[in-house]
Amino acid sequence: MTYREAVAEGIAREMRLDPTVVCLGEDIGAAEGVFKTTVGLFKEFGPTRVWDTPISEQAIVGAAMGAAMTGLRPVAEIMFSDFLACCWDYLANEIPKVRYMTGGQVTVPLVVRTANGGGLGFGAQHSQAVENWAFTVPGLKIAAPSTPADVIGLLAAAIRSDDPVVVFEHKGLFASRGPAPPAGHVVPLGQASIARQGRDVTLVALASTVPIALQAAETLAADGIEAEVIDLRCLVPLDMRTVLESLARTSRLVVVEENPYQGGWGATVVSIVADEGFELLDAPIRRVAGECVPLPFADSLEAQVIPTAARVIDVVGQLAAY
């Protein structure tokens, strides 16, 4: 199945299991989503469980918060992740604080889904990778799948969570294909996977940078460099155990992230490695990240701003010779 088909399938599986799961967002009903990630949901579950909303991110997330506090498990879609900024007060100040502020008496079991990232020439206001925005907010869990199977598995875990979860679905992966997972497939939040085994360098990636890292690893293997690729899957909880165990085997680390270098999640990964795994290193740590500029509209310029396999290969070559 495709990545976009997996989104609709993952939501549908949970809606069939739990009648309290509802969906809300712009054009997710009869129109089946601007990215066609809610195909079939309105037809199967109807308007009482799939709600079309006004074009108001505040209304969508505010309604989802209220619904979650009063017994439902809403799955709210924000069409583009850039526009999380429009409902940031709810997402940063209200939703992640309720359980804490009420001493656990009230939970907010909601999922905010959003299309994230660049690579498609959508311009500066519709192409940002903003996982790092949510990463700064205590109380939010963060998932970012790279494969159709992980889309379904992580959505299952997110919808069942009693804590709020932001799921970043990468626009550049919607057309990608992968095996459909079996019924009942769940990927626990905070459990990274080893997408490719290797002995010479660890590449830590997330969402769209996973296929970039895998492409780089394939090319590097032809030159005798075996790269191990770690797909983090989640930023909160963050599975650093898998990263450190990999680093113990390879002794070299490259973090590949689409967030801008300044303030990207890779900085936290690097910091933890410096604190807890410094003695494992045989070379400096390197980060391949997005440039700290608004994303260009032109394809040729955008390709200079976001990570590429060629950049990863160049950095790994430098570390291999260190």
Side-chain angles (χ1 to χ4, degrees), residues 113-126:
R113 302 174 35 249
T114 189
N116 189 51
L120 297 177
F122 283 6
Q125 295 174 328
H126 294 77

Side-chain angles (χ1 to χ4, degrees), residues 219-282:
T219 301
L220 289 163
D223 294 329
I225 300 173
E226 293 294 334
E228 183 152 289
V229 178
I230 304 296
D231 181 352
L232 284 178
R233 288 172 163 167
C234 292
L235 293 179
V236 181
L238 180 61
D239 183 4
M240 284 303 298
R241 181 186 296 275
T242 296
V243 174
L244 291 168
E245 288 175 349
S246 176
L247 191 56
R249 295 187 291 272
T250 68
S251 75
R252 287 170 169 78
L253 175 65
V254 177
V255 178
V256 189
E257 60 183 311
E258 193 176 335
N259 287 165
Y261 186 92
Q262 181 174 302
W265 57 260
T268 295
V269 171
V270 168
S271 175
I272 295 171
V273 169
D275 285 344
E276 301 182 20
F278 185 77
E279 69 282 357
L280 302 174
L281 295 167
D282 287 339

Side-chain angles (χ1 to χ4, degrees), residues 61-72:
V61 177
M65 178 182 175
M69 292 172 67
T70 52
L72 297 180

Side-chain angles (χ1 to χ4, degrees), residues 76-128:
E77 179 182 298
I78 299 300
M79 191 180 291
F80 287 87
S81 64
D82 315 65
F83 299 118
L84 291 175
C86 297
C87 54
W88 194 241
D89 181 52
Y90 282 124
L91 200 62
N93 286 332
E94 306 298 338
I95 288 168
K97 310 294 193 290
V98 168
R99 192 169 188 174
Y100 174 78
M101 296 296 291
T102 64
Q105 296 178 80
V106 180
T107 59
V108 189
L110 66 79
V111 173
V112 175
R113 302 174 35 249
T114 189
N116 189 51
L120 297 177
F122 283 6
Q125 295 174 328
H126 294 77
S127 301
Q128 297 171 94

Side-chain angles (χ1 to χ4, degrees), residues 10 13-14 141-161 165 167 179-194 231-237 239:
R13 289 187 184 189
E14 294 307 302
K141 294 179 179 177
I142 303 170
S146 68
T147 67
D150 280 355
V151 167
I152 290 176
L154 288 170
L155 274 173
I159 293 169
R160 298 177 194 185
S161 172
V165 184
V167 178
H185 181 64
V186 180
V187 175
L189 299 175
Q191 186 177 97
S193 70
I194 300 177
D231 181 352
L232 284 178
R233 288 172 163 167
C234 292
L235 293 179
V236 181
D239 183 4

